Amino acid sequence: MATGRMDIPSPGYNQYLVHRSVYSEPTFQEETERKEPVRKTLQDRVKKNCSCTSKKAYYVAKKFFPILNWLPNYRWKEWFVSDLISGISTGLVGTLQGLAYALLAAVPVEYGLYSSFFPILTYFFLGTSKHISVGPFPVVSLMVGSIVLSIAPDEKFTMLANSTGLNKTLIDTVARDTARIVVSGTLSFLIGIIQLALGVFQIGFIIRYLADPLVGGFTTAAAFQVFVSQIKLVLNVPTKNYNGVLSIIYTIIDIFTNIAKTNIADLIAGLLTFVACVVVKEINDRYKRIFRVPIPIEIIVTIIATGISYGVNLEKKYNAGIVKTIPSGFIPPMTPDVSLFAQLGSSAFSIGIVAYAVAVSVGKVYATKHNYEVDGNQEFIAFGISNLFSGAFSCFCATTALSRTAVQESTGGKTQIAGIISAGIVLIAIVALGRLLEPLQKSVLAAIVIANLKGMFCQVFDVPRLWKENKWDSVIWVFTCIASILLGLDLGLLAGLLFGLVTIILRVQFPSCGALGNVPGTDIYKNVKEYKNLIEPEGVKIIRYTSGMFYGNIDGFKNAIKSIVGFDAVKVYNKRTKALRKIQKLIKKGQLRSTKNGIISSTGADNEGFEPDDDPEDPEQENNEGVETKEVEIRVDWNSELPVKVYVPKVSIHSIIFDFGQIHFIDVVAVRSLKVIFKEFKRIDVEPYIAAYEDGVLQKMESCLFFDETIKRDIFFLTVHDAVLHIENLRKFYDGHDPLLEKISLMQESRELLEFTAVDPTEQELDAQEGALRSLAH
């Protein structure tokens, strides 16, 4: 058995010496015993999963109710004060954001307070994140609002009013708001059903298909959509409600068309609020190590704006748009409108996935920071039940807001105790303080929303970084952003997801494929195009393919092989067949004989294509297309003063090694095609080998009948270096005979026509019994 020895001289580093046998697949299996897989029967699996013990029941209960894990270990003396401060701060911010995000969801503002309260109650028991603040999020609220406006637009609730003898079209706001509340509540309920089902069936992995570039582009586009929707409130200009493709463009056109109708009082209030919020938030970020609690600027500006609006009476004097009515207390639970399920199904799925993705992404960031884990499937269950519960109270879809969660964590929040305290603050606003905010201008709430979009807009600066790191990711980001702006958030998300999958297909469809060379003195092989001073073993080509191999890219693999080795094996075989046919005719005519020294000389010049070799006497002449290849001129002594030249392709290699180290899967079509490729090379006496393969790939090839009498398992080697050493050992005993010369001599002796069969390159299987033609040498 061949052995390999390698000494690595690397001054300044640890050195090592490897001395072992060369391992092919059969020799490795002989020396290494494989573990027998333990396969459980269906009865064993059912028994294991369906058995019930007290210990297992307790484990399931703790998994379904994570509060049983952390609440018994809660450090009341150390953590409660921090959670109390954090809960109060988060609750105040959540109260105002609830009011503001209700405007995005196109429902009365008090339902924003409900949506900031009810989901927290259930998440407290079921959630696995200790730091996220559950409630409305601007992107999700806007997606909800687009659905609500499409099902319950203003045009459905118009009525005629007779004022001073003139008929005037008015909008029945009471009926409109009632319908919108039903739609948003039903949508939340349906989202809860979908999320709960995905969690129960352990489909939390679906989040993996929402890559960070896709989410970044989508949320940036959503931020732009939110910005446009709130600008019209800051300006207080009349616009129509558009939905669907290019709705954002139509909204912008309406805003600029009616820009002259801007309410100056609302514009000034909005601008002052925006500037104050941005400046103070920047101060909070810059000096967060100094401030124990960030300055609650939203609360401050809201109190000031409400006082000014009430004192000056902005609604009557300047026609400012104010909140007007915020009922105190709760409304009774409602029954969802099941008839809307079919109409809301696709939208509910996309909103539910986005809401879950945002919450889990934020939760995992803080979980990593504070050294605990977030369970993706349990989060699906937690948010599913939260949306089911809150949907029954007419709330819109809950997730988490980045800014609100940042407040909860930065103010010292340790657990969801802070979340439940924040819910208590919102409850106080619902029961007692709601009416005090009725004079508040909507432009102030809109400005608060816009100020909180800064983080999402800053994601634009990720594009140059992504372009440097991975151009495909930057393209996905830009495409998803543009698609979500132009097509709407639901279609844009779908388009971005499909585009991301297409880029994966393209990357798998056209992977890199290159020739490898050896780093002198090592068993390391690298791409010859990327590194200098690499040595390619003489007569051996080593090809690495960097992807799974399947029906979609096997043709690309074939073309890559032709490009690297410099010839097409099928056309080489056919060309040699043609050359032997011509030589046979010359021998039969007595015009050609072989001598002791041979009639073939390797003095011909290499070139880049087959030279024409048309024989008018040969009715079987094929019209082969030229490929990039190398030739050798064969000079024949045929008892004449003029020589005859017969051109056959020159094959400069005797072995080819396929590095399968980066091929992790292979399908049936690829196995069959690979078998054809191997037989094509064997016909022209190029021995193919496979190295660094995965066991699963080998098992797949075996199950697909890759092995036969001509292709055996001993062509598989554990590493590329094993295969190279094996080939070098074989070539030491190569006797240097010329099979082509022997073939011509046989022809001369027989003087009878021998049959030669040309191969059609499109054949799926090759005839392995053409022994005479396989004796053609390089």
Side-chain angles (χ1 to χ4, degrees), residues 185-201 336-338 341 345 348-349 352 380-389 391 397:
T186 302
L187 179 61
S188 179
F189 193 87
L190 183 55
I191 290 171
I193 293 175
I194 294 172
Q195 290 179 329
L196 181 59
L198 293 175
V200 168
F201 291 106
D337 189 351
V338 181
F341 277 10
F349 183 82
F380 253 139
I381 294 174
F383 279 103
I385 294 178
S386 294
N387 282 314
L388 277 170
F389 177 64
C397 180

PDB file of all heavy atoms in Angstrom, residues 185-201 336-338 341 345 348-349 352 380-389 391 397:
ATOM      1  N   GLY A 185     -59.609  44.121  14.571  1.00  0.00           N
ATOM      2  CA  GLY A 185     -59.715  43.086  15.597  1.00  0.00           C
ATOM      3  C   GLY A 185     -59.749  41.686  14.988  1.00  0.00           C
ATOM      4  O   GLY A 185     -59.095  40.758  15.489  1.00  0.00           O
ATOM      5  N   THR A 186     -60.516  41.534  13.913  1.00  0.00           N
ATOM      6  CA  THR A 186     -60.583  40.236  13.233  1.00  0.00           C
ATOM      7  C   THR A 186     -59.227  39.867  12.636  1.00  0.00           C
ATOM      8  O   THR A 186     -58.799  38.705  12.696  1.00  0.00           O
ATOM      9  CB  THR A 186     -61.648  40.274  12.120  1.00  0.00           C
ATOM     10  OG1 THR A 186     -62.916  40.614  12.699  1.00  0.00           O
ATOM     11  CG2 THR A 186     -61.746  38.927  11.425  1.00  0.00           C
ATOM     12  N   LEU A 187     -58.545  40.846  12.072  1.00  0.00           N
ATOM     13  CA  LEU A 187     -57.219  40.600  11.512  1.00  0.00           C
ATOM     14  C   LEU A 187     -56.252  40.149  12.597  1.00  0.00           C
ATOM     15  O   LEU A 187     -55.486  39.193  12.403  1.00  0.00           O
ATOM     16  CB  LEU A 187     -56.703  41.871  10.833  1.00  0.00           C
ATOM     17  CG  LEU A 187     -55.297  41.796  10.208  1.00  0.00           C
ATOM     18  CD1 LEU A 187     -55.246  40.738   9.119  1.00  0.00           C
ATOM     19  CD2 LEU A 187     -54.891  43.159   9.654  1.00  0.00           C
ATOM     20  N   SER A 188     -56.284  40.798  13.745  1.00  0.00           N
ATOM     21  CA  SER A 188     -55.420  40.406  14.855  1.00  0.00           C
ATOM     22  C   SER A 188     -55.740  38.993  15.327  1.00  0.00           C
ATOM     23  O   SER A 188     -54.834  38.187  15.607  1.00  0.00           O
ATOM     24  CB  SER A 188     -55.576  41.394  16.015  1.00  0.00           C
ATOM     25  OG  SER A 188     -54.779  41.022  17.110  1.00  0.00           O
ATOM     26  N   PHE A 189     -57.014  38.661  15.387  1.00  0.00           N
ATOM     27  CA  PHE A 189     -57.435  37.328  15.802  1.00  0.00           C
ATOM     28  C   PHE A 189     -56.925  36.270  14.826  1.00  0.00           C
ATOM     29  O   PHE A 189     -56.407  35.223  15.230  1.00  0.00           O
ATOM     30  CB  PHE A 189     -58.963  37.286  15.891  1.00  0.00           C
ATOM     31  CG  PHE A 189     -59.503  36.077  16.597  1.00  0.00           C
ATOM     32  CD1 PHE A 189     -59.651  36.059  17.977  1.00  0.00           C
ATOM     33  CD2 PHE A 189     -59.863  34.949  15.877  1.00  0.00           C
ATOM     34  CE1 PHE A 189     -60.147  34.944  18.635  1.00  0.00           C
ATOM     35  CE2 PHE A 189     -60.359  33.822  16.522  1.00  0.00           C
ATOM     36  CZ  PHE A 189     -60.503  33.820  17.898  1.00  0.00           C
ATOM     37  N   LEU A 190     -57.039  36.546  13.529  1.00  0.00           N
ATOM     38  CA  LEU A 190     -56.584  35.606  12.507  1.00  0.00           C
ATOM     39  C   LEU A 190     -55.055  35.470  12.532  1.00  0.00           C
ATOM     40  O   LEU A 190     -54.515  34.359  12.370  1.00  0.00           O
ATOM     41  CB  LEU A 190     -57.051  36.067  11.132  1.00  0.00           C
ATOM     42  CG  LEU A 190     -56.720  35.149   9.946  1.00  0.00           C
ATOM     43  CD1 LEU A 190     -57.259  33.739  10.189  1.00  0.00           C
ATOM     44  CD2 LEU A 190     -57.286  35.725   8.652  1.00  0.00           C
ATOM     45  N   ILE A 191     -54.367  36.574  12.740  1.00  0.00           N
ATOM     46  CA  ILE A 191     -52.897  36.515  12.883  1.00  0.00           C
ATOM     47  C   ILE A 191     -52.519  35.628  14.059  1.00  0.00           C
ATOM     48  O   ILE A 191     -51.575  34.830  13.978  1.00  0.00           O
ATOM     49  CB  ILE A 191     -52.326  37.937  13.055  1.00  0.00           C
ATOM     50  CG1 ILE A 191     -52.447  38.723  11.757  1.00  0.00           C
ATOM     51  CG2 ILE A 191     -50.855  37.875  13.500  1.00  0.00           C
ATOM     52  CD1 ILE A 191     -52.110  40.202  11.902  1.00  0.00           C
ATOM     53  N   GLY A 192     -53.260  35.754  15.157  1.00  0.00           N
ATOM     54  CA  GLY A 192     -52.993  34.915  16.331  1.00  0.00           C
ATOM     55  C   GLY A 192     -53.172  33.439  16.023  1.00  0.00           C
ATOM     56  O   GLY A 192     -52.372  32.601  16.459  1.00  0.00           O
ATOM     57  N   ILE A 193     -54.214  33.098  15.261  1.00  0.00           N
ATOM     58  CA  ILE A 193     -54.440  31.694  14.892  1.00  0.00           C
ATOM     59  C   ILE A 193     -53.259  31.168  14.071  1.00  0.00           C
ATOM     60  O   ILE A 193     -52.749  30.065  14.311  1.00  0.00           O
ATOM     61  CB  ILE A 193     -55.755  31.556  14.093  1.00  0.00           C
ATOM     62  CG1 ILE A 193     -56.958  31.872  15.000  1.00  0.00           C
ATOM     63  CG2 ILE A 193     -55.879  30.157  13.503  1.00  0.00           C
ATOM     64  CD1 ILE A 193     -58.282  31.872  14.267  1.00  0.00           C
ATOM     65  N   ILE A 194     -52.805  31.963  13.099  1.00  0.00           N
ATOM     66  CA  ILE A 194     -51.693  31.533  12.230  1.00  0.00           C
ATOM     67  C   ILE A 194     -50.413  31.374  13.040  1.00  0.00           C
ATOM     68  O   ILE A 194     -49.703  30.366  12.914  1.00  0.00           O
ATOM     69  CB  ILE A 194     -51.511  32.551  11.086  1.00  0.00           C
ATOM     70  CG1 ILE A 194     -52.725  32.521  10.164  1.00  0.00           C
ATOM     71  CG2 ILE A 194     -50.233  32.263  10.308  1.00  0.00           C
ATOM     72  CD1 ILE A 194     -52.730  33.620   9.112  1.00  0.00           C
ATOM     73  N   GLN A 195     -50.122  32.355  13.885  1.00  0.00           N
ATOM     74  CA  GLN A 195     -48.894  32.276  14.685  1.00  0.00           C
ATOM     75  C   GLN A 195     -48.936  31.102  15.655  1.00  0.00           C
ATOM     76  O   GLN A 195     -47.933  30.398  15.839  1.00  0.00           O
ATOM     77  CB  GLN A 195     -48.684  33.585  15.441  1.00  0.00           C
ATOM     78  CG  GLN A 195     -48.306  34.762  14.549  1.00  0.00           C
ATOM     79  CD  GLN A 195     -48.137  36.049  15.324  1.00  0.00           C
ATOM     80  OE1 GLN A 195     -48.791  36.264  16.345  1.00  0.00           O
ATOM     81  NE2 GLN A 195     -47.266  36.923  14.848  1.00  0.00           N
ATOM     82  N   LEU A 196     -50.076  30.880  16.265  1.00  0.00           N
ATOM     83  CA  LEU A 196     -50.200  29.763  17.202  1.00  0.00           C
ATOM     84  C   LEU A 196     -50.018  28.434  16.482  1.00  0.00           C
ATOM     85  O   LEU A 196     -49.331  27.531  16.992  1.00  0.00           O
ATOM     86  CB  LEU A 196     -51.566  29.818  17.893  1.00  0.00           C
ATOM     87  CG  LEU A 196     -51.846  28.721  18.933  1.00  0.00           C
ATOM     88  CD1 LEU A 196     -50.815  28.764  20.048  1.00  0.00           C
ATOM     89  CD2 LEU A 196     -53.265  28.861  19.484  1.00  0.00           C
ATOM     90  N   ALA A 197     -50.605  28.306  15.294  1.00  0.00           N
ATOM     91  CA  ALA A 197     -50.458  27.065  14.521  1.00  0.00           C
ATOM     92  C   ALA A 197     -49.000  26.832  14.144  1.00  0.00           C
ATOM     93  O   ALA A 197     -48.480  25.711  14.249  1.00  0.00           O
ATOM     94  CB  ALA A 197     -51.336  27.116  13.271  1.00  0.00           C
ATOM     95  N   LEU A 198     -48.311  27.879  13.717  1.00  0.00           N
ATOM     96  CA  LEU A 198     -46.902  27.736  13.348  1.00  0.00           C
ATOM     97  C   LEU A 198     -46.051  27.351  14.555  1.00  0.00           C
ATOM     98  O   LEU A 198     -45.089  26.581  14.434  1.00  0.00           O
ATOM     99  CB  LEU A 198     -46.388  29.045  12.737  1.00  0.00           C
ATOM    100  CG  LEU A 198     -46.987  29.440  11.388  1.00  0.00           C
ATOM    101  CD1 LEU A 198     -46.478  30.817  10.959  1.00  0.00           C
ATOM    102  CD2 LEU A 198     -46.659  28.412  10.317  1.00  0.00           C
ATOM    103  N   GLY A 199     -46.401  27.880  15.724  1.00  0.00           N
ATOM    104  CA  GLY A 199     -45.657  27.524  16.920  1.00  0.00           C
ATOM    105  C   GLY A 199     -45.917  26.102  17.369  1.00  0.00           C
ATOM    106  O   GLY A 199     -44.996  25.382  17.754  1.00  0.00           O
ATOM    107  N   VAL A 200     -47.184  25.676  17.319  1.00  0.00           N
ATOM    108  CA  VAL A 200     -47.531  24.309  17.749  1.00  0.00           C
ATOM    109  C   VAL A 200     -46.854  23.278  16.857  1.00  0.00           C
ATOM    110  O   VAL A 200     -46.369  22.246  17.325  1.00  0.00           O
ATOM    111  CB  VAL A 200     -49.059  24.126  17.725  1.00  0.00           C
ATOM    112  CG1 VAL A 200     -49.430  22.655  17.885  1.00  0.00           C
ATOM    113  CG2 VAL A 200     -49.711  24.958  18.813  1.00  0.00           C
ATOM    114  N   PHE A 201     -46.790  23.561  15.554  1.00  0.00           N
ATOM    115  CA  PHE A 201     -46.163  22.625  14.616  1.00  0.00           C
ATOM    116  C   PHE A 201     -44.664  22.864  14.452  1.00  0.00           C
ATOM    117  O   PHE A 201     -44.055  22.358  13.509  1.00  0.00           O
ATOM    118  CB  PHE A 201     -46.867  22.703  13.263  1.00  0.00           C
ATOM    119  CG  PHE A 201     -48.265  22.156  13.272  1.00  0.00           C
ATOM    120  CD1 PHE A 201     -49.354  23.006  13.230  1.00  0.00           C
ATOM    121  CD2 PHE A 201     -48.479  20.793  13.359  1.00  0.00           C
ATOM    122  CE1 PHE A 201     -50.644  22.514  13.240  1.00  0.00           C
ATOM    123  CE2 PHE A 201     -49.771  20.285  13.376  1.00  0.00           C
ATOM    124  CZ  PHE A 201     -50.868  21.141  13.322  1.00  0.00           C
ATOM    125  N   PRO A 336     -64.965  37.940  16.543  1.00  0.00           N
ATOM    126  CA  PRO A 336     -64.384  38.281  15.234  1.00  0.00           C
ATOM    127  C   PRO A 336     -65.342  37.942  14.094  1.00  0.00           C
ATOM    128  O   PRO A 336     -66.140  37.005  14.203  1.00  0.00           O
ATOM    129  CB  PRO A 336     -63.117  37.428  15.187  1.00  0.00           C
ATOM    130  CG  PRO A 336     -63.339  36.328  16.148  1.00  0.00           C
ATOM    131  CD  PRO A 336     -64.197  36.900  17.226  1.00  0.00           C
ATOM    132  N   ASP A 337     -65.243  38.704  13.033  1.00  0.00           N
ATOM    133  CA  ASP A 337     -66.085  38.487  11.858  1.00  0.00           C
ATOM    134  C   ASP A 337     -65.447  37.395  10.998  1.00  0.00           C
ATOM    135  O   ASP A 337     -64.540  37.650  10.197  1.00  0.00           O
ATOM    136  CB  ASP A 337     -66.220  39.792  11.070  1.00  0.00           C
ATOM    137  CG  ASP A 337     -67.246  39.689   9.955  1.00  0.00           C
ATOM    138  OD1 ASP A 337     -67.726  38.566   9.684  1.00  0.00           O
ATOM    139  OD2 ASP A 337     -67.557  40.726   9.331  1.00  0.00           O
ATOM    140  N   VAL A 338     -65.942  36.179  11.167  1.00  0.00           N
ATOM    141  CA  VAL A 338     -65.349  35.031  10.479  1.00  0.00           C
ATOM    142  C   VAL A 338     -65.469  35.169   8.963  1.00  0.00           C
ATOM    143  O   VAL A 338     -64.650  34.633   8.212  1.00  0.00           O
ATOM    144  CB  VAL A 338     -66.000  33.720  10.969  1.00  0.00           C
ATOM    145  CG1 VAL A 338     -65.389  32.504  10.279  1.00  0.00           C
ATOM    146  CG2 VAL A 338     -65.861  33.592  12.481  1.00  0.00           C
ATOM    147  N   PHE A 341     -62.329  36.184   7.092  1.00  0.00           N
ATOM    148  CA  PHE A 341     -61.112  35.376   7.139  1.00  0.00           C
ATOM    149  C   PHE A 341     -60.527  35.120   5.752  1.00  0.00           C
ATOM    150  O   PHE A 341     -59.310  35.224   5.546  1.00  0.00           O
ATOM    151  CB  PHE A 341     -61.385  34.040   7.838  1.00  0.00           C
ATOM    152  CG  PHE A 341     -61.336  34.130   9.339  1.00  0.00           C
ATOM    153  CD1 PHE A 341     -61.270  35.368   9.985  1.00  0.00           C
ATOM    154  CD2 PHE A 341     -61.361  32.991  10.124  1.00  0.00           C
ATOM    155  CE1 PHE A 341     -61.233  35.459  11.366  1.00  0.00           C
ATOM    156  CE2 PHE A 341     -61.322  33.062  11.507  1.00  0.00           C
ATOM    157  CZ  PHE A 341     -61.263  34.300  12.131  1.00  0.00           C
ATOM    158  N   GLY A 345     -56.803  36.417   4.771  1.00  0.00           N
ATOM    159  CA  GLY A 345     -55.872  35.313   4.981  1.00  0.00           C
ATOM    160  C   GLY A 345     -54.436  35.596   4.593  1.00  0.00           C
ATOM    161  O   GLY A 345     -53.513  35.468   5.406  1.00  0.00           O
ATOM    162  N   ALA A 348     -52.918  38.437   6.610  1.00  0.00           N
ATOM    163  CA  ALA A 348     -52.675  38.029   8.000  1.00  0.00           C
ATOM    164  C   ALA A 348     -51.387  37.221   8.097  1.00  0.00           C
ATOM    165  O   ALA A 348     -50.611  37.382   9.055  1.00  0.00           O
ATOM    166  CB  ALA A 348     -53.855  37.218   8.524  1.00  0.00           C
ATOM    167  N   PHE A 349     -51.140  36.355   7.126  1.00  0.00           N
ATOM    168  CA  PHE A 349     -49.929  35.544   7.159  1.00  0.00           C
ATOM    169  C   PHE A 349     -48.686  36.424   7.048  1.00  0.00           C
ATOM    170  O   PHE A 349     -47.738  36.271   7.826  1.00  0.00           O
ATOM    171  CB  PHE A 349     -49.957  34.517   6.021  1.00  0.00           C
ATOM    172  CG  PHE A 349     -48.781  33.590   6.033  1.00  0.00           C
ATOM    173  CD1 PHE A 349     -48.762  32.480   6.856  1.00  0.00           C
ATOM    174  CD2 PHE A 349     -47.685  33.832   5.219  1.00  0.00           C
ATOM    175  CE1 PHE A 349     -47.667  31.621   6.886  1.00  0.00           C
ATOM    176  CE2 PHE A 349     -46.584  32.984   5.222  1.00  0.00           C
ATOM    177  CZ  PHE A 349     -46.580  31.875   6.065  1.00  0.00           C
ATOM    178  N   GLY A 352     -48.282  38.563  10.187  1.00  0.00           N
ATOM    179  CA  GLY A 352     -47.879  37.721  11.311  1.00  0.00           C
ATOM    180  C   GLY A 352     -46.409  37.344  11.253  1.00  0.00           C
ATOM    181  O   GLY A 352     -45.716  37.341  12.270  1.00  0.00           O
ATOM    182  N   PHE A 380     -43.571  32.094  18.875  1.00  0.00           N
ATOM    183  CA  PHE A 380     -44.736  31.988  17.995  1.00  0.00           C
ATOM    184  C   PHE A 380     -45.992  31.728  18.819  1.00  0.00           C
ATOM    185  O   PHE A 380     -47.046  32.339  18.592  1.00  0.00           O
ATOM    186  CB  PHE A 380     -44.535  30.852  16.989  1.00  0.00           C
ATOM    187  CG  PHE A 380     -44.262  31.325  15.586  1.00  0.00           C
ATOM    188  CD1 PHE A 380     -43.306  30.700  14.806  1.00  0.00           C
ATOM    189  CD2 PHE A 380     -44.977  32.372  15.031  1.00  0.00           C
ATOM    190  CE1 PHE A 380     -43.047  31.125  13.513  1.00  0.00           C
ATOM    191  CE2 PHE A 380     -44.723  32.809  13.751  1.00  0.00           C
ATOM    192  CZ  PHE A 380     -43.757  32.185  12.983  1.00  0.00           C
ATOM    193  N   ILE A 381     -45.891  30.817  19.775  1.00  0.00           N
ATOM    194  CA  ILE A 381     -47.044  30.497  20.618  1.00  0.00           C
ATOM    195  C   ILE A 381     -47.432  31.701  21.472  1.00  0.00           C
ATOM    196  O   ILE A 381     -48.622  32.040  21.605  1.00  0.00           O
ATOM    197  CB  ILE A 381     -46.725  29.276  21.499  1.00  0.00           C
ATOM    198  CG1 ILE A 381     -46.547  28.033  20.631  1.00  0.00           C
ATOM    199  CG2 ILE A 381     -47.810  29.060  22.543  1.00  0.00           C
ATOM    200  CD1 ILE A 381     -46.092  26.797  21.386  1.00  0.00           C
ATOM    201  N   ALA A 382     -46.426  32.362  22.047  1.00  0.00           N
ATOM    202  CA  ALA A 382     -46.704  33.499  22.926  1.00  0.00           C
ATOM    203  C   ALA A 382     -47.404  34.626  22.169  1.00  0.00           C
ATOM    204  O   ALA A 382     -48.416  35.168  22.637  1.00  0.00           O
ATOM    205  CB  ALA A 382     -45.397  34.001  23.547  1.00  0.00           C
ATOM    206  N   PHE A 383     -46.865  34.990  21.014  1.00  0.00           N
ATOM    207  CA  PHE A 383     -47.489  36.078  20.249  1.00  0.00           C
ATOM    208  C   PHE A 383     -48.811  35.633  19.627  1.00  0.00           C
ATOM    209  O   PHE A 383     -49.721  36.448  19.450  1.00  0.00           O
ATOM    210  CB  PHE A 383     -46.526  36.580  19.173  1.00  0.00           C
ATOM    211  CG  PHE A 383     -45.505  37.549  19.698  1.00  0.00           C
ATOM    212  CD1 PHE A 383     -44.207  37.156  19.936  1.00  0.00           C
ATOM    213  CD2 PHE A 383     -45.863  38.865  19.966  1.00  0.00           C
ATOM    214  CE1 PHE A 383     -43.266  38.048  20.430  1.00  0.00           C
ATOM    215  CE2 PHE A 383     -44.931  39.765  20.472  1.00  0.00           C
ATOM    216  CZ  PHE A 383     -43.633  39.354  20.708  1.00  0.00           C
ATOM    217  N   GLY A 384     -48.911  34.350  19.282  1.00  0.00           N
ATOM    218  CA  GLY A 384     -50.184  33.870  18.751  1.00  0.00           C
ATOM    219  C   GLY A 384     -51.303  34.003  19.765  1.00  0.00           C
ATOM    220  O   GLY A 384     -52.390  34.525  19.461  1.00  0.00           O
ATOM    221  N   ILE A 385     -51.058  33.548  20.989  1.00  0.00           N
ATOM    222  CA  ILE A 385     -52.075  33.661  22.033  1.00  0.00           C
ATOM    223  C   ILE A 385     -52.311  35.132  22.399  1.00  0.00           C
ATOM    224  O   ILE A 385     -53.455  35.544  22.664  1.00  0.00           O
ATOM    225  CB  ILE A 385     -51.662  32.837  23.261  1.00  0.00           C
ATOM    226  CG1 ILE A 385     -51.655  31.344  22.904  1.00  0.00           C
ATOM    227  CG2 ILE A 385     -52.583  33.107  24.438  1.00  0.00           C
ATOM    228  CD1 ILE A 385     -51.217  30.434  24.017  1.00  0.00           C
ATOM    229  N   SER A 386     -51.248  35.931  22.401  1.00  0.00           N
ATOM    230  CA  SER A 386     -51.414  37.361  22.703  1.00  0.00           C
ATOM    231  C   SER A 386     -52.309  38.042  21.677  1.00  0.00           C
ATOM    232  O   SER A 386     -53.183  38.847  22.036  1.00  0.00           O
ATOM    233  CB  SER A 386     -50.049  38.044  22.742  1.00  0.00           C
ATOM    234  OG  SER A 386     -49.269  37.564  23.818  1.00  0.00           O
ATOM    235  N   ASN A 387     -52.114  37.735  20.402  1.00  0.00           N
ATOM    236  CA  ASN A 387     -52.945  38.361  19.373  1.00  0.00           C
ATOM    237  C   ASN A 387     -54.365  37.805  19.361  1.00  0.00           C
ATOM    238  O   ASN A 387     -55.320  38.529  19.052  1.00  0.00           O
ATOM    239  CB  ASN A 387     -52.288  38.170  17.997  1.00  0.00           C
ATOM    240  CG  ASN A 387     -51.139  39.135  17.776  1.00  0.00           C
ATOM    241  OD1 ASN A 387     -51.244  40.327  18.041  1.00  0.00           O
ATOM    242  ND2 ASN A 387     -50.011  38.620  17.303  1.00  0.00           N
ATOM    243  N   LEU A 388     -54.519  36.521  19.698  1.00  0.00           N
ATOM    244  CA  LEU A 388     -55.871  35.979  19.850  1.00  0.00           C
ATOM    245  C   LEU A 388     -56.616  36.699  20.974  1.00  0.00           C
ATOM    246  O   LEU A 388     -57.769  37.122  20.811  1.00  0.00           O
ATOM    247  CB  LEU A 388     -55.787  34.482  20.175  1.00  0.00           C
ATOM    248  CG  LEU A 388     -55.628  33.500  19.015  1.00  0.00           C
ATOM    249  CD1 LEU A 388     -55.329  32.104  19.537  1.00  0.00           C
ATOM    250  CD2 LEU A 388     -56.879  33.477  18.157  1.00  0.00           C
ATOM    251  N   PHE A 389     -55.948  36.843  22.097  1.00  0.00           N
ATOM    252  CA  PHE A 389     -56.558  37.473  23.270  1.00  0.00           C
ATOM    253  C   PHE A 389     -56.853  38.946  23.011  1.00  0.00           C
ATOM    254  O   PHE A 389     -57.963  39.431  23.277  1.00  0.00           O
ATOM    255  CB  PHE A 389     -55.614  37.303  24.458  1.00  0.00           C
ATOM    256  CG  PHE A 389     -56.088  37.959  25.720  1.00  0.00           C
ATOM    257  CD1 PHE A 389     -57.246  37.544  26.351  1.00  0.00           C
ATOM    258  CD2 PHE A 389     -55.371  39.017  26.283  1.00  0.00           C
ATOM    259  CE1 PHE A 389     -57.677  38.152  27.526  1.00  0.00           C
ATOM    260  CE2 PHE A 389     -55.797  39.623  27.448  1.00  0.00           C
ATOM    261  CZ  PHE A 389     -56.949  39.195  28.069  1.00  0.00           C
ATOM    262  N   GLY A 391     -57.059  40.422  20.096  1.00  0.00           N
ATOM    263  CA  GLY A 391     -58.015  40.583  19.002  1.00  0.00           C
ATOM    264  C   GLY A 391     -59.449  40.529  19.491  1.00  0.00           C
ATOM    265  O   GLY A 391     -60.340  41.191  18.931  1.00  0.00           O
ATOM    266  N   CYS A 397     -52.606  44.180  15.658  1.00  0.00           N
ATOM    267  CA  CYS A 397     -51.531  43.195  15.857  1.00  0.00           C
ATOM    268  C   CYS A 397     -50.403  43.731  16.733  1.00  0.00           C
ATOM    269  O   CYS A 397     -49.936  44.856  16.584  1.00  0.00           O
ATOM    270  CB  CYS A 397     -50.978  42.775  14.499  1.00  0.00           C
ATOM    271  SG  CYS A 397     -49.654  41.564  14.601  1.00  0.00           S
TER     272      CYS A 397
END
